Amino acid sequence: YRAKGGGGGYCFYSAEMGEALVRKRAVAKRLEAALSNGGLQLFYQSQIHLSNGRLAGAEALARWQDAQLGVISPTDFIPIAEERGLIGTLGEWVLHEACHQVRLWQERHYPMPGKVAVNIATRQFEDDDFVDRMLRIAREHRIAANRIELELTENGMMRDPERAVDIARALASAGFALSIDDFGTGYSSLSYLQRFPVNKLKIDISFIRHMLTDRNDYATVSTIIAMGKSMELETLAEGVEQAEQVDALLSLGCMLAQGYHFGHPLAANDFERTWLSHASS
Ligand code: C2E
Ligand code: MG
Ligand code: MG
Ligand code: MG
């Protein structure tokens, strides 16, 4: 079928595109409901010091199981939330939930070694009052800003780098830690990278996955780790699944990792049982 475009021209839609649109609309509608009735959950995945296998921190990851649609992956619903104007509400919920959890762990005397890392969508980061909002949320839950790490994406920061540098500096001086997620997949300018007060580069899983068999991936991983070292940034390898990857990363000088080899993302109580309840693993 065809639909009249805004500019007076016609765009042609295939049946598949039509179906995708219908599904997106359905997902957005259910997501909106989930956001207002507590249907989302945060899981936590351990981040590990490669030198001694100890817990270094945790990344909070959104999880959603809908009664009608089943389990929906964040790789699916996050872009829909961004597209449909729901990311502000979703991001706000994630921050409250993560800060609330940090507070609970503190109260139960399970101090998180390191920080809880939260993924921040570009839209959210670019919001005019993001810094104030961040501060307000941390204060509301009575946790120190230095308990929280904000994961930003490379492309997000490069969309309007001057502005991103200002926001990042304000966040850093408020005490929040910053990392760049999926590093290596975007287009960062090295000159801007040096101006961002980031603490950590998270090497994207796509380079780690085949680093032992693909020379190019190995070279990319090695280059990012070397660059991190020379810029005095920590590097964390995402998606580590094998002991051999651990050995290779250690020999390249990477200090931190995250991945199924160490643990899957877990519900807060399972994370607590696995990682926090008996003195740091
Ligand atoms: P990410 O931030 O790069 O998160 C890492 C993803 O890799 C997670 O997928 C995690 O479950 C997965 N992962 C961890 N270890 C392994 C491994 O060893 N092997 C493999 N194959 N995968 C591993 P997940 O939870 O499905 O999240 C996907 C993406 O969705 C995240 O990528 C992030 O970009 C986004 N996301 C998740 N939660 C949130 C959120 O609360 N807010 C925002 N804005 N984005 C989120
Ligand atoms: Mg992340
Ligand atoms: Mg990532
Ligand atoms: Mg990602």
Side-chain angles (χ1 to χ4, degrees):
Y1 58 97
R2 58 189 199 174
K4 200 157 199 237
Y10 287 93
C11 0
F12 291 83
Y13 293 111
S14 67
E16 264 162 52
M17 281 165 75
E19 270 167 43
L21 266 176
V22 169
R23 181 175 178 278
K24 250 187 213 172
R25 223 171 280 148
V27 169
K29 205 166 152 224
R30 299 294 302 168
L31 182 59
E32 205 169 358
L35 283 167
S36 63
N37 63 28
L40 261 67
Q41 241 191 311
L42 274 190
F43 271 37
Y44 298 85
Q45 187 178 34
S46 56
Q47 300 183 330
I48 300 297
H49 289 290
L50 284 174
S51 61
N52 58 17
R54 292 218 173 164
L55 187 65
E59 177 175 6
L61 295 157
R63 292 291 178 266
W64 178 31
Q65 178 164 12
D66 182 75
Q68 290 167 20
L69 304 168
V71 173
I72 303 181
S73 159
T75 53
D76 204 0
F77 68 78
I78 295 289
I80 294 176
E82 295 197 76
E83 224 173 279
R84 300 269 155 172
L86 297 170
I87 198 67
T89 312
L90 190 151
E92 188 96 352
W93 174 81
V94 169
L95 287 166
H96 273 287
E97 184 61 24
C99 290
H100 172 66
Q101 190 58 61
V102 169
R103 181 72 205 170
L104 280 182
W105 280 330
Q106 278 178 16
E107 283 172 2
R108 290 185 206 152
H109 306 289
Y110 295 150
M112 269 290 304
K115 304 162 196 300
V116 168
V118 179
N119 293 283
I120 304 296
T122 303
R123 287 263 173 93
Q124 205 182 344
F125 175 75
E126 285 181 344
D127 223 32
D128 276 329
D129 58 355
F130 181 67
V131 180
D132 290 339
R133 206 176 283 201
M134 258 327 306
L135 280 166
R136 212 180 314 134
I137 293 173
R139 212 176 296 134
E140 190 178 316
H141 295 276
R142 291 172 291 132
I143 64 162
N146 69 9
R147 301 288 78 207
I148 300 294
E149 177 173 302
L150 304 172
E151 296 194 1
L152 311 166
T153 65
E154 235 180 324
N155 287 342
M157 296 177 89
M158 292 302 152
R159 206 150 80 172
D160 183 353
E162 290 293 345
R163 189 165 140 68
V165 166
D166 287 344
I167 300 172
R169 285 189 176 157
L171 289 167
S173 67
F176 296 102
L178 303 176
S179 60
I180 303 190
D181 204 355
D182 307 338
F183 190 78
T185 58
Y187 301 91
S188 21
S189 133
L190 293 184
S191 65
Y192 274 113
L193 196 56
Q194 279 176 321
R195 294 176 49 204
F196 282 114
V198 295
N199 311 70
K200 188 186 287 173
L201 305 177
K202 298 191 74 181
I203 309 168
D204 192 65
I205 186 171
S206 62
F207 305 116
I208 303 296
R209 191 174 287 133
H210 300 123
M211 68 174 284
L212 299 175
T213 49
D214 184 316
R215 280 162 176 273
N216 293 322
D217 288 345
Y218 185 86
T220 303
V221 171
S222 155
T223 302
I224 294 173
I225 294 167
M227 194 180 87
K229 254 189 242 169
S230 68
M231 291 172 74
E232 296 181 347
L233 300 175
E234 293 185 296
T235 46
L236 179 147
E238 294 194 284
V240 172
E241 297 185 0
Q242 308 157 16
E244 293 76 14
Q245 290 168 320
V246 172
D247 297 338
L249 288 162
L250 266 172
S251 71
L252 290 171
C254 180
M255 304 309 284
L256 296 164
Q258 189 179 336
Y260 299 163
H261 177 69
F262 304 102
H264 285 255
L266 297 170
N269 56 344
D270 294 324
F271 184 84
E272 187 177 302
R273 210 171 304 131
T274 310
W275 294 102
L276 301 179
S277 55
H278 33 97
S280 64
S281 104

